[in-house]
Amino acid sequence: MGIFAHRQVMTHTGSGRLVKSTIRSLRILEYVEEQGSVRLTDVASEFDIGHSTAHNHLVTLEHEGVLVRRDGRYSLGMKFLKHGVSATQSIPYIEVIRRNVLELAERLELEIEFLVEEHGRVVSVIDTGYKFTKYPTADSNLNVGTFYPMGCTASGKAILAAMSESDVEEVLDEWGLPESTQYSITSREVLSEELEQVRERGYSSAKQEIVEGFDNIGVVITGPDGTIIGAITVGWPSYHFETSVPHQIVDQLLHTKEAIEAEMQTTEA
């Protein structure tokens, strides 16, 4: 039995009972995503279920277009691409944000990312990667769709700093403060002090807290009614700046935040 089968499943929520078979199908999709492609026997072994049960899940998911089968192996279908695009387009002012993110990336020649909070974590929605950067060790991989804990990311800290105290506690109660690297914040008291600093200076920072060798700073983006929409971050390899972050980068990020929020005032969501 694999790790996906061992993931804790709550069968009740405050609003009703969860359907275990649906949860298992979703776990199977996660397993397929992680593996790239799987055989029926892989699923049966991973979830400790009979071949007929594994087959029923797989053919149902294939019938619904979320899995495709080639040469006896199942992989994710392109239907997820449509779902992802639809989810992205549902974010208020996403085109305003996208345009400004790309413009900022071109000006700074650094990685710019836009992330939103969902169920107590942040997820990458727009990531310029290192398309606009000049440093030779640049990695071209994009992080779109990747979820991160909030307490050790610049985006998460920027959003947490804009949340109410009760909402922050709810996030921490659900997800805690995982130690992603040796530099991650694992104390609520330390995080609380840092969030206060974020509120005072207007931007957040994370130095090697989510990935060793990578630093970034971030700002929260709020709508005209004060609703938190997401956060924009600027990131770079830790060696890129020997001491503190150049004030020009901070200024450019803050300017982009102001430009986006000003344009929102005259644009429909």
Side-chain angles (χ1 to χ4, degrees):
M1 185 182 295
I3 60 172
F4 287 86
H6 279 295
R7 288 184 177 175
Q8 184 176 5
V9 175
M10 294 177 58
T11 56
H12 290 81
T13 67
S15 58
R17 185 176 180 84
L18 304 183
V19 181
K20 288 185 177 181
S21 60
T22 302
I23 292 174
R24 174 163 286 170
S25 288
L26 293 172
R27 293 288 185 268
I28 289 173
L29 287 173
E30 292 173 353
Y31 176 59
V32 174
E33 178 185 4
E34 182 176 272
Q35 298 298 313
S37 67
V38 300
R39 296 185 183 276
L40 184 152
T41 52
D42 298 327
V43 173
S45 175
E46 174 70 20
F47 292 89
D48 194 25
I49 55 179
H51 284 198
S52 61
T53 301
H55 178 263
N56 290 341
H57 280 286
L58 291 170
V59 296
T60 300
L61 293 170
E62 181 187 12
H63 177 269
E64 293 303 308
V66 292
L67 287 183
V68 293
R69 181 175 57 176
R70 300 184 183 92
D71 299 325
R73 301 188 71 90
Y74 293 86
S75 56
L76 295 184
M78 294 301 289
K79 191 171 185 178
F80 276 112
L81 180 60
K82 183 177 187 299
H83 293 327
V85 170
S86 296
T88 299
Q89 291 304 118
S90 70
I91 299 171
Y93 308 101
I94 187 61
E95 294 308 323
V96 173
I97 294 168
R98 188 191 310 278
R99 173 166 40 79
N100 280 274
V101 162
L102 293 176
E103 290 174 357
L104 181 62
E106 289 191 74
R107 291 198 302 272
L108 294 182
E109 298 183 322
L110 294 171
E111 181 185 13
I112 313 298
E113 199 167 1
F114 172 68
L115 306 94
V116 299
E117 182 272 333
E118 188 172 87
H119 302 306
R121 295 185 295 172
V122 285
V123 57
S124 177
V125 175
I126 301 171
D127 186 356
T128 65
Y130 296 113
K131 177 180 178 182
F132 300 101
T133 64
K134 292 183 176 179
Y135 37 86
T137 58
D139 183 352
S140 60
N141 291 331
L142 297 180
N143 298 315
V144 171
T146 303
F147 283 82
Y148 303 99
M150 297 185 72
C152 57
T153 56
S155 55
K157 292 177 190 177
I159 293 173
L160 287 172
M163 285 181 168
S164 67
E165 185 175 341
S166 60
D167 285 345
V168 172
E169 288 301 314
E170 186 176 339
V171 168
L172 298 182
D173 287 344
E174 175 71 18
W175 295 101
L177 290 169
E179 188 176 357
S180 299
T181 74
Q182 60 179 317
Y183 304 102
S184 301
I185 294 176
T186 56
S187 162
R188 291 197 183 197
E189 182 178 353
V190 173
L191 178 63
S192 179
E193 293 173 356
E194 181 152 342
L195 294 183
E196 187 57 39
Q197 293 176 8
V198 173
R199 298 182 189 103
E200 291 175 358
R201 69 189 180 196
Y203 69 93
S204 60
S205 66
K207 297 181 179 180
Q208 304 191 71
E209 293 180 45
I210 187 65
V211 176
E212 291 196 25
F214 183 80
D215 300 344
N216 62 0
I217 59 174
V219 293
V220 67
I221 302 297
T222 56
D225 61 354
T227 301
I228 297 172
I229 294 177
I232 294 177
T233 63
V234 181
W236 55 85
S238 300
Y239 66 79
H240 201 56
F241 301 118
E242 293 183 359
T243 55
S244 60
V245 183
H247 67 84
Q248 296 95 329
I249 292 179
V250 175
D251 291 345
Q252 286 278 358
L253 180 58
L254 292 173
H255 173 75
T256 296
K257 167 184 167 66
E258 293 171 0
I260 290 172
E261 293 179 348
E263 189 171 348
M264 287 178 181
Q265 299 287 342
T266 58
T267 305
E268 289 188 11

